[in-house]
Structure formats: structure tokens, C-alpha cells
Amino acid sequence: AKPEPLKIIISGAPASGKGTQCELIKKKYGLVHIAAGDLLRAEIAAATENGKRAKEYMEKGMLVPDEIVVTMVKERLLQPDAQENGWLLDGYPRSLSQATALEDLGIRPDLFILLDVSEGILIERVVGRRLDPLTGKIYHLKYSPPENDEIAARLIQRFDDTEEKVKLRLKTHHQNVEAVLSIYKDVMLKVNGDAPIEDVFAEIDKALSSILEKKSKTDSSS
Ligand code: AP5
């Protein structure tokens, strides 16, 4: 039988590299990438009531209220593709109440990855970040520049990617992070996120393959 699929949470400060690593993990392991921030931006783009409310909080760098986020993420996690292929939860849970909501549903990850990045680097990463609206790919003007002029010409910036707003987002992160970490201490992998993209991925890759190997052993011995 197929081993149980991987269930992974990735966390870290704003612009610590979560989305970048998720692209690489998804490509190699075929997990379903569920990013709370992307789900919220999709609600904003669709001009739903939840989207309108969420934007007010996101513009202030604050957490969007649980009554919007908790159900939104839960519904996505329980979809058949995520259950069958495994999931990679990005930017959730971000508070004790969100972590408790997952625990109450009996949802626990195999691994909780924490990208640890120095504060000075975070600001530079936010200000230089650009997105390709066509492919969704994340770029950085200095660290991960677009491949050609055509892509460069269509890149956009996120509305909350200014130095002023990232400072507010960082403050919110610091207020909540310890409470979330306390729940996942036993499955935590802290990675030095200051390192180049490939080095960060190499460390994550090693941990994921070792978990998969253990899972397949347990499965074949049962
Ligand atoms: P969200 O969209 O999740 O934003 P965030 O946590 O601030 O994280 P980012 O997407 O900014 O960064 P990232 O870590 O993915 O970094 P990236 O890979 O792009 O949330 C936005 C808002 O939504 C929140 O403020 C909140 O209001 C709301 N929200 C979201 N989740 C919520 C929740 N659970 N509850 C309530 N509200 C919620 O990398 C950044 C840049 O650096 C890129 O340009 C990249 O190319 C570059 N880069 C990446 N890695 C490296 C590296 N190793 N070396 C050099 N450059 C690198």
C-alpha cells in the first residue's frame, strides 16, 4: 500500500522565504500547497464580503479574524486532493487559537518547518519582491531576478510589500509566534533562512525524505 502522504506546516516571519520554498517542495514531493495569504488574496480579487473585510486587516499588517480564516483553511485542507496527495500548509496557524482549531480537528503535521531569518534581511526581501501575475512565480529584483525582459515588464508588487507595512506585519508575527511554536515543539525543524534558496531547500529536502523513508518502513512492517 501507498505510505500515508506527507503533512507539513511551514512558518516564519514575513518574507522569510515560505512561498519560495513551497514552490520547490511542491515540485519535488507533489504536495498540495495551501497558503493562507494566497487564499485571502483570492477572496480580495473575487471581491467577496470576506475579501473586503480581510483587506482592511491585511493593509494594517494585522491578522485577519479567525471567523474568516479558520473555516477557509479547514475547507481547503479537507478537499480530496490534499487528503490524497498530502499538504503543505503555509502561513497557518499564526496564532494560538488557529493552532488549537487544528488540534481540535485532530490535524497534526509530520513536520513543522520554521524559517529563521534575521530582521534586516527581511525588509530587503520584502521591498525587492515581485510577482508574476501570469504564473504566480515569486521573484526578487536582486536575489531571484526575472529570466527575461518580457517577464520583467509584467511583474507586480503586493499591496502590503512596503517597508512601513512589513514593520507592522513583523510586529504581529512577534506577538504570536511563541504561542504557536509551543504547540509544535516535538515536530519542529528550525532552518537557517538567511542562507541561499538552494541551501535552505537542501536542508528541508533532507528532512522530508527521511520522514517519507520512515513512513514507508512503518507501512511495510505493518
Ligand atoms: P502572507 O501572504 O502569508 O504573507 P507573509 O507571511 O508576510 O509572508 P510573505 O508571503 O510576505 O513571504 P514568504 O515567507 O512567503 O517569502 P517569499 O518566499 O515570498 O500573509 C499576508 C497577510 O495575510 C498577513 O499579514 C495577514 O494580514 C493575512 N494572513 C495570512 N495568513 C493569516 C492567518 N493564518 N491568520 C490571519 N491572517 C492571515 O520570499 C520573499 C522574497 O525574498 C522574494 O522576493 C524571494 O524571491 C526572496 N527570497 C526567498 N528566499 C530567499 C533566500 N533564501 N535568499 C534570498 N532571497 C530569498
Side-chain angles (χ1 to χ4, degrees):
K2 230 171 107 184
E4 276 259 297
L6 284 173
K7 294 173 283 182
I8 309 295
I9 294 180
I10 185 159
S11 79
S16 53
K18 301 182 291 293
T20 301
Q21 294 302 321
C22 285
E23 280 181 21
L24 299 169
I25 299 170
K26 190 173 127 185
K27 204 158 132 203
K28 174 147 186 195
Y29 292 91
L31 305 181
V32 175
H33 177 207
I34 303 173
D38 289 348
L39 293 176
L40 289 168
R41 280 183 289 275
E43 293 284 334
I44 295 176
T48 63
E49 269 316 304
N50 276 348
K52 280 181 214 153
R53 267 195 77 202
K55 192 166 187 206
E56 289 170 26
Y57 290 87
M58 291 165 81
E59 281 184 325
K60 294 184 199 132
M62 289 161 68
L63 292 184
V64 172
D66 281 358
E67 70 230 45
I68 297 177
V69 185
V70 172
T71 318
M72 190 184 74
V73 172
K74 180 181 120 187
E75 283 176 355
R76 186 61 193 93
L77 261 179
L78 297 176
Q79 302 263 320
D81 61 339
Q83 293 301 308
E84 275 158 32
N85 303 314
W87 43 260
L88 176 60
L89 194 51
D90 164 5
Y92 188 95
R94 263 185 226 240
S95 63
L96 186 60
S97 60
Q98 292 176 7
T100 312
L102 281 185
E103 294 282 294
D104 289 347
L105 290 166
I107 299 176
R108 254 197 103 69
D110 300 307
L111 188 69
F112 182 97
I113 303 167
L114 174 67
L115 297 178
D116 189 27
V117 178
S118 335
E119 201 120 337
I121 292 185
L122 293 172
I123 312 255
E124 195 196 4
R125 286 196 188 165
V126 161
V127 178
R129 169 165 50 193
R130 296 293 183 276
L131 302 170
D132 183 343
L134 221 61
T135 61
K137 195 169 167 197
I138 307 164
Y139 290 94
H140 190 282
L141 296 178
K142 184 166 154 197
Y143 301 115
S144 192
E147 295 87 348
N148 56 49
D149 290 347
E150 191 188 337
I151 299 176
R154 65 176 186 240
L155 295 184
I156 54 163
Q157 216 175 351
R158 248 167 63 176
F159 68 84
D160 55 351
D161 271 357
T162 60
E163 186 166 345
E164 177 208 356
K165 288 201 173 128
V166 78
K167 285 188 174 151
L168 299 171
R169 283 155 63 195
L170 267 171
K171 193 170 154 218
T172 304
H173 170 75
H174 289 311
Q175 281 163 350
N176 293 288
V177 63
E178 288 305 325
V180 175
L181 297 187
S182 70
I183 305 245
Y184 297 107
K185 257 196 242 124
D186 56 331
V187 284
M188 181 147 71
L189 172 75
K190 191 169 170 179
V191 180
N192 171 19
D194 287 357
I197 295 173
E198 318 73 73
D199 296 5
V200 176
F201 181 64
E203 205 173 322
I204 293 174
D205 190 17
K206 204 170 104 199
L208 295 185
S209 9
S210 132
I211 293 173
L212 267 185
E213 203 176 308
K214 272 190 213 136
K215 273 182 187 277
S216 62
K217 275 191 195 141
T218 325
D219 201 67
S220 58
S221 64
S222 64

